Amino acid sequence: MTSTVPALGTRTAEGSALQAVLLDMDGTLVDTEGFWWDAEVAVFGSLGHALDEAWREVVVGGPMTRSAGFLIEATGADITLPELTVLLNDGFEERISSALPLMPGAARLLAELAAHEVPTALVSASHRRIIDRVLTSLGPEHFALTVAGDEVERTKPYPDPYLLAAAGLGADPARCAVIEDTATGVAAAEAAGCHVVAVPSVAPIAPAYRRTVVPSLEHVNLPFLHGLMGY
């Protein structure tokens, strides 16, 4: 997708301007949602429990405490939440140690935002140890700041991570475009008052007011994000 890219301050007919872009990580920029599920299946398998495939839509995109807590309750596994959190993070890191595939269009979009000096933040429910590992593939230079799920009191679906990111970039949340792949992340961004681009990964997401749904990041570029500010 190519077109002439306006300057960052270009305003729409309604007089608004894009001030920042806030991006989710797992399933949005990197193709890792399957890695998380594989880690969950393996850990619970070692504990003697099989996971129901239908639970995948329940845990996708959620914070570790919610996802892990749900699986403990659903299976009745004899393990504490802190113990399970360590095992899941370890299992995930093992799976991304050799290769970390980016989602289609992710590298191009990050390069475009950097080239036009658009303030950009990575906002994830994953823990800091995971974000720092993934950043080696995404390129830390692409982000002015990053927000991890274990660094906020309330992570997604609460608005706190996106409000923190917007404040850190000096941006009005209403002038921020958020890119997310799950209903949990979309709920967090919308609660923060941001415009949302949903790129569904595991479960479908319906369009709504101030929410645009696209099949992949290949459909997203800077003029497209500027255009979101007009409604």
Side-chain angles (χ1 to χ4, degrees):
M1 175 185 292
T2 59
S3 59
T4 302
V5 182
L8 179 60
T10 298
R11 297 187 174 274
T12 66
E14 286 72 22
S16 62
L18 177 69
Q19 292 182 350
V21 177
L22 316 177
L23 300 113
D24 174 54
M25 187 177 76
D26 294 298
T28 299
L29 291 176
V30 287
D31 191 8
T32 51
E33 293 293 9
F35 291 171
W36 278 115
W37 179 248
D38 290 346
E40 289 159 349
V41 169
V43 168
F44 277 91
S46 70
L47 297 172
H49 298 276
L51 300 188
D52 189 323
E53 183 70 24
W55 296 342
R56 185 173 181 178
E57 290 191 16
V58 179
V59 300
V60 66
M64 178 72 75
T65 52
R66 189 198 73 183
S67 300
F70 168 83
L71 293 174
I72 290 174
E73 183 176 354
T75 61
D78 184 18
I79 189 171
T80 67
L81 186 58
E83 290 171 338
L84 179 58
T85 296
V86 171
L87 292 177
L88 291 177
N89 277 325
D90 287 347
F92 179 79
E93 283 196 82
E94 289 175 4
R95 285 163 172 77
I96 66 172
S97 60
S98 57
L100 185 56
L102 270 59
M103 299 298 288
R108 187 266 314 152
L109 178 60
L110 290 175
E112 182 178 5
L113 294 173
H116 290 269
E117 300 183 346
V118 178
T120 304
L122 186 67
V123 184
S124 176
S126 290
H127 289 187
R128 170 55 58 187
R129 61 179 281 196
I130 299 299
I131 287 181
D132 288 345
R133 283 290 301 277
V134 174
L135 278 173
T136 61
S137 294
L138 288 174
E141 70 277 5
H142 290 121
F143 305 98
L145 63 86
T146 61
V147 178
D150 57 341
E151 295 174 340
V152 291
E153 184 174 347
R154 302 187 308 172
T155 188
K156 305 173 187 180
Y158 294 100
D160 305 35
Y162 282 114
L163 292 174
L164 180 62
L169 295 176
D172 178 355
R175 298 291 174 260
C176 293
V178 169
I179 305 179
E180 274 279 0
D181 72 304
T182 67
T184 299
V186 167
E190 291 181 341
C194 304
H195 294 262
V196 178
V197 179
V199 190
S201 58
V202 175
I205 299 173
Y209 177 64
R210 290 166 66 94
R211 181 198 308 166
T212 303
V213 180
V214 297
S216 82
L217 292 179
E218 293 179 315
H219 293 256
V220 180
N221 62 11
L222 193 49
F224 173 89
L225 295 173
H226 274 287
L228 298 177
M229 299 298 109
Y231 75 99

